[in-house]
Amino acid sequence: MSRFQNFPDDRDIWKEIETVTTCLRLEQCDSEAEFLCQMFQHIPQDLQHRLLVMTADHCEDTMEHCTLLLLLLRKFPQTIATHGPRLVETLLTAEKHSHPGRAVNGFRRLLACDALPLLGSAVVELNPRLSLRLLCKAVEFYLAYIQLPQDMQIQNPWDRLFQIVELIGKKLGWELSSLFATPWNREAYSDRLQQYAIAHSTGMCDEPVVRQLLMCTIVVLLRILNEHSALISNEEAMYCLVEAFGEGIYSSAESKLKKRKRDDNAGIIMTSDNDYNGNGLAMAVKLWDLLHNSDYLQRELTKLNQQLRLDNWLNLFLTDLAMYKGLYHEVLARLTEGNNLSSNLRLASTCFFLKDYKGMLEYIILVVNSLPTTLGKISHNLTVPSSRHLHYLTLARFPILQYCCRLLLLAIKENFSLSGNIGDLAIGHALVLMQIDWPQEASILTTITERILNRGSFTYPLFQGYVICVDILEELTYLWTEHGGGVSLDITAGAGIIQNRRITTRGADKGVREELKQAMRRQAARDGVEPLDELLQKFIINEQGAILHSLIIQ
């Protein structure tokens, strides 16, 4: 050490010192490094301190200089007040010159992961403006890092971020800082933020209140969304949020005013075919609404959004938010930029609820033309007792086809009562569509049989091509018998709607009757053999003109 003090420009000495300081920073040491670390520990502490300071000052590489200062602060916490602010300033300046516009870089990482936890836990006075700036830097870093493919270099990034919010928040005198010291529980965090907002409802124009509510809420909101996204889509399955169906919402007897009042007051039911029902979205929506409690809060949110570059985090959420709130025109505006399976599925859903059935059919055609190869399972959660129902649909062949068929079925159902060919066409299409998840829509078959009985006849040229469900075939065969009502069934033998050859059962000779029985048997034999997904896919694509003809076009 005396040699170092007497000859500070000796290159060999600096080389030895660099070797020692490098070993001190290693997490795992070999025997030689371990020896050098122990040797350093035997040097008097004041000399250790001086050695690290001089080594840091001597270092020409900025990153190396900063890591040495960090080593100094860790070994000598009492020096944080002296060297901590200097380290922060160096890191900010170095980042500005070396990585402008990039949130994830080496200097920012040292700041967020190493320097700020040290400064936050030490008795160091920080300028409030600087503290807020540093907090924003850390939040931006962690949010950007979390969105990158995980290299696992930073363990538990959310917990680390929350630690920074707690430490810097405490220095800023934030009441909510203590919340971030508690174990993560999205319900508890969300409730606490709501309580704070209620308690300070008269202070939503005060900068200190707005500042901490905004920053604390946004990090909690994004953690909830991140967790929600991981739960709703993973390696096993992907899901897509669609508006599903509530029992009783199609009652025409209910006045629009009464229905609107009921809808406004009723809760939204959320379901999925996963163990997780997606309620994280509802929680995120509440927090988002909290951030819009005042004009001032909204303006500050807009600024923070730009500062932290939150668009990547919020774009999908804002579409889900519009869907959650039933803002269908906004959903359309947000989705028209995308042209993928998920977007087209949601566009079909939105068009249905806007009663734009032509648009709905166009998007359904796009969806059905790009079905995934994964089969998936039929959903049993598409209809629940509610006025509004959102569902996370599995992005697999059967669930997607089932949902598209349900949209078409419910749209076509409005046309059952029309007289003539349109009514029969609507009924026929419904018979085809309800097969995908039979007997889930068995109640519609009851409605259909009543309509057919009242008319006394049923004509559907596509019948033999697409109706193979045994239960449906048996029901229609029964209607044809004298005991069942003696209904006349006009069924075209071919699959094209313009073909004219008919099998007519009323007043027909014995040969024609036998031909119909044989035709029914042949179709019944296809049930359970012919893949329903392929049958329905072919029907929707090949018969789209006939389907469009049966829809009520607004």
Side-chain angles (χ1 to χ4, degrees):
M1 181 57 67
S2 60
R3 186 181 164 201
F4 166 72
Q5 290 172 302
N6 294 330
F7 304 99
D9 295 325
D10 190 314
R11 286 186 179 180
D12 292 335
I13 294 178
W14 280 115
K15 194 170 182 180
E16 289 178 21
I17 292 169
E18 284 172 9
T19 303
V20 173
T21 55
T22 299
C23 293
L24 290 172
R25 297 198 300 273
L26 292 175
E27 291 184 7
Q28 292 182 328
C29 301
D30 56 23
S31 56
E32 184 181 350
E34 185 67 35
F35 169 75
L36 291 173
C37 289
Q38 288 179 4
M39 183 185 74
F40 182 83
Q41 297 300 335
H42 284 84
I43 299 172
Q45 285 214 342
D46 60 329
L47 290 179
Q48 287 182 26
H49 173 250
R50 189 177 171 202
L51 179 63
L52 288 173
V53 171
M54 292 185 71
T55 308
D57 289 342
H58 181 266
C59 189
E60 294 180 359
D61 181 81
T62 308
M63 181 65 76
E64 189 73 12
H65 168 77
C66 292
T67 53
L68 285 167
L69 277 181
L70 275 169
L71 181 61
L72 170 70
L73 300 187
R74 286 199 189 95
K75 284 198 160 292
F76 301 99
Q78 68 273 20
T79 66
I80 291 176
T82 306
H83 297 289
R86 170 186 160 201
L87 170 61
V88 165
E89 193 57 44
T90 303
L91 287 169
L92 291 174
T93 304
E95 180 192 48
K96 185 178 179 181
H97 290 296
S98 305
H99 305 281
R102 279 183 54 202
V104 179
N105 61 75
F107 295 112
R108 182 80 70 93
R109 181 169 178 160
L110 284 182
L111 178 72
C113 300
D114 300 294
L116 289 185
L118 285 172
L119 261 72
S121 54
V123 184
V124 181
E125 287 294 325
L126 287 177
N127 178 295
R129 190 180 182 86
L130 175 62
S131 295
L132 204 57
R133 183 186 173 201
L134 294 175
L135 178 58
C136 284
K137 289 276 186 185
V139 171
E140 185 189 16
F141 168 79
Y142 278 111
L143 292 181
Y145 177 81
I146 288 164
Q147 286 199 309
L148 294 174
Q150 290 305 289
D151 55 12
M152 301 308 290
Q153 289 184 18
I154 301 176
Q155 299 289 327
N156 306 314
W158 281 111
D159 291 341
R160 284 169 171 258
L161 170 57
F162 276 36
Q163 180 196 22
I164 298 295
V165 176
E166 180 218 344
L167 294 173
I168 303 299
K170 193 180 293 182
K171 288 195 178 297
L172 288 164
W174 285 1
E175 180 185 329
L176 286 169
S177 64
S178 60
L179 172 63
F180 292 83
T182 62
W184 169 245
N185 177 291
R186 60 186 186 178
E187 287 84 5
Y189 271 73
S190 184
D191 288 347
R192 176 74 186 278
L193 290 168
Q194 297 284 355
Q195 290 163 10
Y196 179 86
I198 292 168
H200 295 81
S201 57
T202 57
M204 286 301 168
C205 293
D206 298 339
E207 185 177 346
V209 171
V210 166
R211 192 74 70 187
Q212 70 168 302
L213 181 63
L214 177 59
M215 185 62 79
C216 294
T217 302
I218 205 73
V219 294
V220 171
L221 167 65
L222 295 181
R223 185 166 186 175
I224 288 173
L225 285 177
N226 182 249
E227 194 176 75
H228 166 76
S229 178
L231 287 168
I232 212 67
S233 287
N234 48 54
E235 293 176 359
E236 295 177 8
M238 298 288 288
Y239 297 85
C240 172
L241 182 67
V242 294
E243 181 112 14
F245 316 102
E247 290 174 339
I249 64 171
Y250 299 101
S251 171
S252 58
E254 187 176 30
S255 73
K256 287 186 178 179
L257 179 62
K258 184 179 175 184
K259 181 176 184 295
R260 187 169 65 248
K261 283 183 177 178
R262 186 194 65 187
D263 285 358
D264 289 344
N265 296 327
I268 296 171
I269 300 295
M270 298 199 68
T271 61
S272 82
D273 296 316
N274 190 349
D275 292 335
Y276 168 63
N277 69 357
N279 63 357
L281 176 62
M283 212 172 291
V285 169
K286 285 183 180 178
L287 290 178
W288 185 257
D289 288 344
L290 186 154
L291 293 176
H292 292 75
N293 274 347
S294 72
D295 292 340
Y296 179 39
L297 195 52
Q298 287 186 56
R299 287 196 300 273
E300 290 302 308
L301 173 61
T302 302
K303 290 179 189 174
L304 189 67
N305 182 15
Q306 293 171 346
Q307 186 178 353
L308 299 182
R309 304 171 215 185
L310 299 179
D311 284 348
N312 285 341
W313 281 93
L314 294 176
N315 277 338
L316 179 60
F317 167 66
L318 292 177
T319 305
D320 289 347
L321 174 76
M323 185 168 279
Y324 187 91
K325 291 179 175 288
L327 304 173
Y328 300 122
H329 290 289
E330 186 177 329
V331 174
L332 285 180
R334 293 191 65 84
L335 285 174
T336 44
E337 296 175 6
N339 184 23
N340 53 53
L341 177 65
S342 182
S343 293
N344 289 332
L345 195 57
R346 300 176 86 179
L347 285 164
S349 167
T350 306
C351 286
F352 170 81
F353 285 94
L354 286 171
K355 293 190 178 294
D356 173 14
Y357 297 146
K358 185 174 185 291
M360 175 195 74
L361 180 59
E362 288 170 358
Y363 287 117
I364 285 176
I365 299 298
L366 291 173
V367 168
V368 172
N369 269 312
S370 57
L371 289 173
T373 53
T374 307
L375 291 178
K377 295 179 180 178
I378 287 295
S379 174
H380 293 276
N381 297 315
L382 288 186
T383 304
V384 297
S386 68
S387 57
R388 283 202 65 222
H389 172 206
L390 295 177
H391 179 72
Y392 279 97
L393 188 75
T394 311
L395 288 177
R397 281 181 72 84
F398 270 101
I400 291 172
L401 259 177
Q402 178 194 14
Y403 182 73
C404 290
C405 288
R406 188 71 62 88
L407 290 176
L408 289 168
L409 181 60
L410 292 174
I412 287 170
K413 184 182 171 186
E414 298 181 11
N415 236 344
F416 286 175
S417 59
L418 295 185
S419 59
N421 291 338
I422 296 291
D424 273 5
L425 201 57
I427 287 171
H429 292 342
L431 293 174
V432 177
L433 293 164
M434 69 173 63
Q435 296 177 110
I436 189 73
D437 54 8
W438 180 263
Q440 287 192 30
E441 295 301 312
S443 61
I444 293 182
L445 182 60
T446 304
T447 304
I448 285 173
T449 54
E450 289 173 0
R451 298 276 185 199
I452 293 174
L453 275 171
N454 289 337
R455 294 179 186 209
S457 66
F458 172 58
T459 301
Y460 187 55
L462 302 175
F463 187 87
Q464 287 182 292
Y466 298 107
V467 181
I468 64 172
C469 174
V470 169
D471 291 344
I472 295 173
L473 292 171
E474 286 179 350
E475 188 66 28
L476 289 174
T477 304
Y478 176 72
L479 293 180
W480 162 66
T481 65
E482 292 299 325
H483 187 66
V487 169
S488 170
L489 299 180
D490 291 356
I491 304 168
T492 300
I497 195 159
I498 59 171
Q499 293 186 16
N500 294 319
R501 181 176 179 274
R502 291 180 178 176
I503 297 172
T504 306
T505 60
R506 176 173 287 175
D509 58 32
K510 187 177 179 181
V512 174
R513 286 176 175 271
E514 188 58 36
E515 188 179 343
L516 182 127
K517 285 182 181 179
Q518 290 299 326
M520 289 292 198
R521 290 193 190 102
R522 282 194 299 272
Q523 284 176 246
R526 292 159 62 192
D527 192 11
V529 177
E530 192 167 328
L532 267 178
D533 58 323
E534 293 177 13
L535 180 77
L536 270 299
Q537 185 180 30
K538 185 171 75 172
F539 170 71
I540 292 170
I541 293 170
N542 292 351
E543 312 301 341
Q544 54 187 285
I547 294 170
L548 182 62
H549 194 56
S550 70
L551 289 168
I552 298 174
I553 308 301
Q554 296 290 321

